[in-house]
Amino acid sequence: MRYTILLTALLATGIPGAVAQPPTGDSTLMEASLSEYRDNIRTGASKDGIPSIDDPIFQDPEAADAFLNDNDRVIGVYINGEARAYPQRILVWHEIVNDTVGGDPVSITYCPLTGTGLGFHRDGAEFGVSGKLLNSNLVMYDRATETRWPQMLGAGISGPMAGKGLEEVRTVFTEWGRWKERYPQTRVLSTDTGIMRNYQQDPYGDYNPISGYYAPDSRRMFPVMNESERYPPKHEVLGFRGRDHAVAVDLGTLRDKGVIERRIDGERYVIIHDPGLDTGWVWRGEGEIDADSIEFGPEGPRFDGRDGLEPVNAFRAMWFAWAAYYPDTAVIDDATDDA
Protein backbone atom coordinates (compact mmCIF):
# COMPACT_ATOMS: atom_id res chain seq x y z
CA MET A 1 0.00 0.00 0.00
CA ARG A 2 1.38 3.42 -0.93
CA TYR A 3 1.35 6.24 1.57
CA THR A 4 2.20 9.74 0.47
CA ILE A 5 2.94 12.18 3.24
CA LEU A 6 3.39 15.80 2.31
CA LEU A 7 5.35 17.49 5.07
CA THR A 8 4.44 21.17 5.18
CA ALA A 9 6.72 24.04 6.13
CA LEU A 10 7.14 24.35 9.87
CA LEU A 11 9.85 26.09 11.87
CA ALA A 12 10.65 24.01 14.92
CA THR A 13 10.63 25.77 18.27
CA GLY A 14 13.36 25.25 20.81
CA ILE A 15 13.16 23.13 23.94
CA PRO A 16 14.04 25.12 27.09
CA GLY A 17 17.42 24.06 28.46
CA ALA A 18 18.25 22.01 25.34
CA VAL A 19 20.22 22.63 22.19
CA ALA A 20 18.31 23.81 19.16
CA GLN A 21 16.02 21.54 17.20
CA PRO A 22 16.59 21.21 13.46
CA PRO A 23 14.20 23.23 11.30
CA THR A 24 11.67 21.43 9.18
CA GLY A 25 10.56 22.61 5.79
CA ASP A 26 9.82 21.50 2.26
CA SER A 27 7.45 18.64 1.55
CA THR A 28 9.05 15.22 1.56
CA LEU A 29 7.73 12.13 -0.21
CA MET A 30 7.21 8.86 1.63
CA GLU A 31 6.04 5.64 -0.01
CA ALA A 32 5.52 3.70 3.23
CA SER A 33 4.05 4.40 6.64
CA LEU A 34 6.14 5.50 9.60
CA SER A 35 5.50 2.17 11.31
CA GLU A 36 6.74 0.27 8.24
CA TYR A 37 9.94 2.29 8.24
CA ARG A 38 10.47 1.66 11.94
CA ASP A 39 9.86 -2.06 11.51
CA ASN A 40 12.63 -2.24 8.90
CA ILE A 41 15.37 -0.53 10.93
CA ARG A 42 18.58 -2.55 11.26
CA THR A 43 21.60 -2.07 13.53
CA GLY A 44 24.94 -1.41 11.84
CA ALA A 45 26.99 0.09 14.67
CA SER A 46 26.61 1.52 18.17
CA LYS A 47 25.22 5.01 18.68
CA ASP A 48 28.02 7.51 17.98
CA GLY A 49 30.32 4.57 17.26
CA ILE A 50 30.85 6.44 14.00
CA PRO A 51 31.75 9.90 15.39
CA SER A 52 30.42 13.02 13.73
CA ILE A 53 32.76 15.96 13.20
CA ASP A 54 31.40 18.84 15.27
CA ASP A 55 34.34 21.28 15.15
CA PRO A 56 35.65 20.95 11.60
CA ILE A 57 38.96 22.46 10.55
CA PHE A 58 39.53 23.56 6.96
CA GLN A 59 42.51 24.16 4.72
CA ASP A 60 43.16 25.81 1.37
CA PRO A 61 43.20 23.90 -1.95
CA GLU A 62 46.99 23.91 -2.17
CA ALA A 63 47.29 22.12 1.18
CA ALA A 64 44.52 19.69 0.19
CA ASP A 65 46.41 18.79 -2.99
CA ALA A 66 49.00 17.06 -0.81
CA PHE A 67 46.28 14.70 0.37
CA LEU A 68 43.83 14.46 -2.52
CA ASN A 69 44.19 13.30 -6.12
CA ASP A 70 42.18 15.17 -8.74
CA ASN A 71 39.87 12.18 -9.25
CA ASP A 72 39.19 11.59 -5.55
CA ARG A 73 35.54 12.09 -4.63
CA VAL A 74 34.40 15.09 -2.58
CA ILE A 75 31.04 16.39 -1.45
CA GLY A 76 30.87 20.08 -2.28
CA VAL A 77 28.55 22.82 -1.09
CA TYR A 78 28.23 26.47 -2.08
CA ILE A 79 26.24 28.74 0.22
CA ASN A 80 26.07 32.53 0.28
CA GLY A 81 29.21 32.85 -1.81
CA GLU A 82 31.27 30.38 0.24
CA ALA A 83 32.44 27.02 -1.10
CA ARG A 84 33.43 24.02 1.01
CA ALA A 85 34.66 20.57 -0.01
CA TYR A 86 34.39 17.49 2.20
CA PRO A 87 36.61 14.61 1.01
CA GLN A 88 34.83 11.28 0.76
CA ARG A 89 37.85 9.54 2.28
CA ILE A 90 37.29 11.56 5.49
CA LEU A 91 33.50 11.35 5.52
CA VAL A 92 33.56 7.57 5.13
CA TRP A 93 34.85 7.45 8.73
CA HIS A 94 32.48 10.09 10.17
CA GLU A 95 29.36 10.35 7.94
CA ILE A 96 28.24 13.71 9.42
CA VAL A 97 29.92 17.11 9.64
CA ASN A 98 28.12 19.77 11.68
CA ASP A 99 29.36 22.97 10.09
CA THR A 100 28.53 26.61 9.31
CA VAL A 101 28.93 27.72 5.69
CA GLY A 102 28.35 31.27 4.55
CA GLY A 103 26.85 32.02 7.95
CA ASP A 104 24.34 29.17 7.59
CA PRO A 105 24.50 26.27 10.11
CA VAL A 106 24.32 23.07 8.07
CA SER A 107 25.03 19.36 8.42
CA ILE A 108 26.84 17.69 5.54
CA THR A 109 26.12 13.96 5.54
CA TYR A 110 27.46 10.97 3.62
CA CYS A 111 26.35 7.34 3.68
CA PRO A 112 28.98 5.02 2.19
CA LEU A 113 26.53 2.11 1.96
CA THR A 114 24.19 4.01 -0.38
CA GLY A 115 26.66 6.45 -1.98
CA THR A 116 24.58 9.46 -0.97
CA GLY A 117 25.78 12.89 0.10
CA LEU A 118 23.09 15.28 1.37
CA GLY A 119 23.10 18.54 3.27
CA PHE A 120 20.54 19.85 5.75
CA HIS A 121 19.90 23.17 7.46
CA ARG A 122 20.24 22.77 11.22
CA ASP A 123 19.75 26.19 12.89
CA GLY A 124 22.34 25.34 15.54
CA ALA A 125 21.09 21.79 16.11
CA GLU A 126 23.60 18.94 15.93
CA PHE A 127 23.16 15.62 14.18
CA GLY A 128 24.90 12.40 15.15
CA VAL A 129 25.15 8.87 13.75
CA SER A 130 22.57 6.64 15.44
CA GLY A 131 24.21 3.40 14.31
CA LYS A 132 20.89 2.33 12.79
CA LEU A 133 20.21 1.74 9.10
CA LEU A 134 17.11 1.84 6.92
CA ASN A 135 17.48 0.32 3.45
CA SER A 136 21.24 0.21 4.21
CA ASN A 137 21.08 3.99 4.58
CA LEU A 138 22.43 6.13 7.40
CA VAL A 139 19.89 6.96 10.11
CA MET A 140 20.83 10.21 11.82
CA TYR A 141 19.56 11.51 15.13
CA ASP A 142 19.43 15.06 16.43
CA ARG A 143 20.88 15.62 19.87
CA ALA A 144 18.01 17.79 21.09
CA THR A 145 15.05 15.47 20.55
CA GLU A 146 16.61 12.06 19.70
CA THR A 147 14.38 11.93 16.63
CA ARG A 148 15.62 9.39 14.03
CA TRP A 149 16.09 10.79 10.51
CA PRO A 150 16.97 8.42 7.62
CA GLN A 151 19.31 10.45 5.45
CA MET A 152 17.79 9.74 2.02
CA LEU A 153 14.25 10.17 3.30
CA GLY A 154 15.09 13.49 4.95
CA ALA A 155 12.24 13.02 7.42
CA GLY A 156 11.78 11.88 10.99
CA ILE A 157 10.41 8.39 11.51
CA SER A 158 10.52 8.10 15.31
CA GLY A 159 10.77 10.50 18.22
CA PRO A 160 9.12 13.88 18.90
CA MET A 161 9.64 15.12 15.31
CA ALA A 162 8.44 12.00 13.52
CA GLY A 163 6.52 12.89 10.39
CA LYS A 164 8.36 16.17 9.81
CA GLY A 165 10.81 16.85 6.99
CA LEU A 166 14.24 18.46 7.09
CA GLU A 167 15.20 21.45 4.94
CA GLU A 168 17.73 20.17 2.40
CA VAL A 169 20.85 21.92 1.17
CA ARG A 170 22.10 21.23 -2.36
CA THR A 171 25.36 19.27 -2.36
CA VAL A 172 27.44 17.98 -5.26
CA PHE A 173 29.14 14.57 -5.16
CA THR A 174 31.97 15.09 -7.63
CA GLU A 175 35.74 14.84 -8.08
CA TRP A 176 38.25 17.08 -6.37
CA GLY A 177 39.81 18.32 -9.63
CA ARG A 178 36.40 19.31 -10.97
CA TRP A 179 35.37 21.05 -7.75
CA LYS A 180 38.51 23.17 -7.32
CA GLU A 181 38.37 24.27 -10.97
CA ARG A 182 34.83 25.62 -10.46
CA TYR A 183 35.57 26.96 -6.97
CA PRO A 184 39.28 27.89 -6.75
CA GLN A 185 38.74 29.67 -3.40
CA THR A 186 37.08 26.64 -1.78
CA ARG A 187 38.02 25.54 1.70
CA VAL A 188 38.60 21.83 2.25
CA LEU A 189 37.87 19.72 5.30
CA SER A 190 41.16 18.79 6.96
CA THR A 191 42.23 15.41 8.30
CA ASP A 192 42.87 17.23 11.58
CA THR A 193 39.66 15.93 13.12
CA GLY A 194 40.94 15.11 16.61
CA ILE A 195 39.97 11.47 16.01
CA MET A 196 42.41 8.71 15.12
CA ARG A 197 41.44 7.28 11.74
CA ASN A 198 43.40 6.15 8.69
CA TYR A 199 42.19 8.64 6.10
CA GLN A 200 44.37 7.03 3.45
CA GLN A 201 42.22 3.89 3.54
CA ASP A 202 38.53 3.39 2.76
CA PRO A 203 37.16 0.37 4.68
CA TYR A 204 34.60 -0.35 1.93
CA GLY A 205 36.60 -0.09 -1.27
CA ASP A 206 37.63 2.74 -3.56
CA TYR A 207 36.15 5.25 -5.98
CA ASN A 208 39.55 5.85 -7.58
CA PRO A 209 39.38 3.50 -9.45
CA ILE A 210 36.00 2.14 -8.43
CA SER A 211 36.30 -1.18 -6.60
CA GLY A 212 35.15 -3.21 -3.62
CA TYR A 213 31.73 -2.41 -2.20
CA TYR A 214 31.30 0.51 -4.64
CA ALA A 215 31.56 -1.66 -7.77
CA PRO A 216 28.22 -1.67 -9.64
CA ASP A 217 27.60 -5.42 -9.39
CA SER A 218 28.73 -5.89 -5.79
CA ARG A 219 26.24 -7.01 -3.19
CA ARG A 220 24.63 -4.80 -0.58
CA MET A 221 25.27 -5.57 3.10
CA PHE A 222 21.80 -5.26 4.69
CA PRO A 223 18.19 -6.13 3.78
CA VAL A 224 16.00 -3.54 2.09
CA MET A 225 12.26 -2.93 1.95
CA ASN A 226 11.95 -3.26 -1.84
CA GLU A 227 14.20 -4.72 -4.55
CA SER A 228 14.65 -3.95 -8.24
CA GLU A 229 16.89 -5.58 -10.85
CA ARG A 230 16.50 -2.83 -13.45
CA TYR A 231 20.14 -1.80 -12.89
CA PRO A 232 23.07 -3.38 -11.05
CA PRO A 233 22.73 -2.68 -7.30
CA LYS A 234 25.42 0.00 -7.03
CA HIS A 235 24.67 1.68 -10.38
CA GLU A 236 24.54 5.44 -9.71
CA VAL A 237 21.44 7.45 -10.59
CA LEU A 238 20.47 11.07 -10.06
CA GLY A 239 17.39 11.02 -7.88
CA PHE A 240 14.84 13.71 -7.10
CA ARG A 241 11.35 13.87 -5.64
CA GLY A 242 8.18 15.65 -6.66
CA ARG A 243 5.09 16.28 -4.62
CA ASP A 244 3.76 12.77 -5.14
CA HIS A 245 6.39 10.95 -7.18
CA ALA A 246 10.08 10.09 -7.26
CA VAL A 247 12.29 10.17 -10.35
CA ALA A 248 15.61 8.46 -11.08
CA VAL A 249 17.73 9.65 -14.00
CA ASP A 250 20.39 7.40 -15.48
CA LEU A 251 23.60 9.44 -15.37
CA GLY A 252 24.88 8.01 -18.65
CA THR A 253 21.70 9.07 -20.42
CA LEU A 254 21.91 12.56 -18.91
CA ARG A 255 25.55 12.94 -19.98
CA ASP A 256 24.67 11.94 -23.53
CA LYS A 257 21.64 14.20 -23.89
CA GLY A 258 22.84 17.21 -21.91
CA VAL A 259 19.29 18.51 -21.33
CA ILE A 260 16.20 16.38 -20.70
CA GLU A 261 12.65 17.68 -20.47
CA ARG A 262 10.04 15.33 -19.09
CA ARG A 263 6.48 15.64 -17.79
CA ILE A 264 5.67 13.30 -14.90
CA ASP A 265 2.21 13.15 -13.30
CA GLY A 266 1.42 16.48 -14.96
CA GLU A 267 4.55 18.24 -13.69
CA ARG A 268 7.21 19.38 -16.16
CA TYR A 269 10.86 18.92 -15.25
CA VAL A 270 14.02 20.21 -16.89
CA ILE A 271 17.18 18.26 -16.04
CA ILE A 272 20.52 19.74 -17.09
CA HIS A 273 23.86 17.95 -17.08
CA ASP A 274 26.74 20.01 -15.71
CA PRO A 275 29.83 18.69 -17.55
CA GLY A 276 32.23 20.62 -15.31
CA LEU A 277 31.06 18.92 -12.11
CA ASP A 278 29.51 15.85 -13.80
CA THR A 279 26.27 16.35 -11.93
CA GLY A 280 22.67 17.15 -12.78
CA TRP A 281 20.50 20.13 -11.88
CA VAL A 282 16.71 19.89 -11.83
CA TRP A 283 13.94 22.48 -12.20
CA ARG A 284 10.16 22.20 -12.16
CA GLY A 285 7.77 24.47 -14.03
CA GLU A 286 6.69 25.68 -17.44
CA GLY A 287 9.50 28.15 -18.16
CA GLU A 288 11.16 27.61 -21.54
CA ILE A 289 14.93 27.45 -21.91
CA ASP A 290 17.38 27.70 -24.76
CA ALA A 291 19.64 24.68 -24.38
CA ASP A 292 22.32 26.31 -26.54
CA SER A 293 22.66 29.32 -24.23
CA ILE A 294 23.38 27.49 -20.95
CA GLU A 295 26.47 28.61 -19.06
CA PHE A 296 27.80 27.27 -15.78
CA GLY A 297 28.93 29.27 -12.78
CA PRO A 298 29.23 28.91 -8.98
CA GLU A 299 25.48 28.55 -8.54
CA GLY A 300 25.12 26.03 -11.37
CA PRO A 301 23.58 26.55 -14.80
CA ARG A 302 22.66 30.06 -15.97
CA PHE A 303 20.09 30.45 -18.73
CA ASP A 304 17.22 32.65 -19.86
CA GLY A 305 13.93 31.48 -18.39
CA ARG A 306 15.39 30.22 -15.13
CA ASP A 307 13.27 32.71 -13.16
CA GLY A 308 10.16 30.86 -14.35
CA LEU A 309 11.35 27.53 -12.92
CA GLU A 310 11.53 26.20 -9.37
CA PRO A 311 14.75 24.39 -8.35
CA VAL A 312 14.36 20.81 -7.13
CA ASN A 313 17.06 19.19 -5.01
CA ALA A 314 18.73 16.19 -6.65
CA PHE A 315 21.50 13.86 -5.50
CA ARG A 316 23.40 10.78 -6.59
CA ALA A 317 22.37 7.45 -5.08
CA MET A 318 23.05 3.78 -5.62
CA TRP A 319 20.15 2.25 -7.52
CA PHE A 320 19.30 -0.43 -4.96
CA ALA A 321 18.82 2.22 -2.25
CA TRP A 322 16.76 4.59 -4.41
CA ALA A 323 14.47 1.74 -5.49
CA ALA A 324 14.20 0.52 -1.89
CA TYR A 325 12.84 3.88 -0.71
CA TYR A 326 10.88 4.64 -3.88
CA PRO A 327 9.61 1.41 -5.50
CA ASP A 328 7.18 3.43 -7.64
CA THR A 329 9.91 5.68 -8.98
CA ALA A 330 9.77 6.93 -12.54
CA VAL A 331 12.96 6.23 -14.48
CA ILE A 332 14.52 8.33 -17.23
CA ASP A 333 17.00 6.45 -19.39
CA ASP A 334 17.54 5.27 -22.96
CA ALA A 335 14.91 2.56 -22.51
CA THR A 336 12.10 5.00 -21.71
CA ASP A 337 10.03 6.24 -24.62
CA ASP A 338 10.84 9.92 -24.61
CA ALA A 339 14.00 10.24 -22.54
Side-chain angles (χ1 to χ4, degrees), residues 40-331:
N40 281 276
I41 289 287
R42 299 291 184 269
T43 298
S46 60
K47 183 181 179 183
D48 292 321
I50 300 172
S52 62
I53 299 176
D54 301 327
D55 296 298
I57 295 172
F58 291 85
Q59 58 190 348
D60 60 33
E62 291 73 20
D65 278 336
F67 170 66
L68 294 172
N69 297 317
D70 279 355
N71 53 357
D72 282 345
R73 292 280 187 101
V74 298
I75 294 172
V77 64
Y78 181 77
I79 300 174
N80 298 331
E82 185 172 352
R84 295 275 174 93
Y86 305 81
Q88 181 269 343
R89 61 168 68 184
I90 299 177
L91 288 187
V92 73
W93 293 102
H94 297 281
E95 301 192 2
I96 297 175
V97 180
N98 292 301
D99 197 4
T100 299
V101 184
D104 191 350
V106 296
S107 290
I108 306 303
T109 70
Y110 168 68
C111 178
L113 295 181
T114 55
T116 44
L118 286 90
F120 303 97
H121 294 282
R122 62 186 182 90
D123 277 8
E126 282 190 350
F127 288 95
V129 180
S130 72
K132 305 298 183 181
L133 299 166
L134 177 62
N135 292 324
S136 270
N137 180 232
L138 160 68
V139 176
M140 312 178 295
Y141 77 96
D142 71 90
R143 292 176 175 141
T145 74
E146 295 284 334
T147 298
R148 266 37 179 183
W149 309 87
Q151 181 218 32
M152 288 179 63
L153 199 62
I157 62 168
S158 66
M161 302 183 79
K164 294 180 171 62
L166 295 171
E167 295 180 358
E168 296 181 4
V169 176
R170 173 63 203 244
T171 62
V172 177
F173 196 18
T174 187
E175 295 176 348
W176 167 234
R178 294 175 180 271
W179 183 259
K180 68 180 177 180
E181 183 175 356
R182 177 73 57 87
Y183 305 97
Q185 303 302 316
T186 189
R187 302 290 289 169
V188 186
L189 180 66
S190 167
T191 58
D192 184 10
T193 63
I195 302 169
M196 294 296 294
R197 294 292 188 273
N198 182 0
Y199 297 120
Q200 296 291 346
Q201 182 177 357
D202 185 325
Y204 297 98
D206 204 336
Y207 278 106
N208 179 22
I210 195 163
S211 62
Y213 178 84
Y214 308 125
D217 288 316
S218 64
R219 294 185 177 182
R220 63 174 191 268
M221 296 175 65
F222 293 90
V224 295
M225 296 174 68
N226 306 284
E227 298 188 46
S228 170
E229 297 182 355
R230 180 169 187 138
Y231 298 119
K234 311 300 176 54
H235 179 80
E236 287 186 306
V237 296
L238 182 76
F240 63 92
R241 296 154 296 198
R243 297 178 178 88
D244 57 2
H245 50 257
V247 184
V249 184
D250 175 65
L251 285 169
T253 300
L254 182 59
R255 292 183 187 110
D256 289 343
K257 294 187 177 297
V259 177
I260 296 173
E261 297 184 33
R262 174 65 72 87
R263 192 171 294 275
I264 297 173
D265 292 344
E267 292 190 301
R268 176 176 174 267
Y269 292 97
V270 177
I271 307 128
I272 298 175
H273 180 245
D274 184 334
L277 296 176
D278 191 26
T279 191
W281 302 85
V282 181
W283 283 269
R284 174 173 50 220
E286 300 300 324
E288 295 299 326
I289 72 167
D290 179 0
D292 294 328
S293 68
I294 298 172
E295 298 179 345
F296 295 91
E299 295 182 350
R302 298 188 296 256
F303 53 87
D304 291 339
R306 179 169 167 170
D307 291 344
L309 297 168
E310 173 192 3
V312 178
N313 193 39
F315 56 91
R316 288 192 186 199
M318 293 176 180
W319 169 248
F320 86 87
W322 185 262
Y325 275 110
Y326 304 110
D328 294 332
T329 186
V331 175

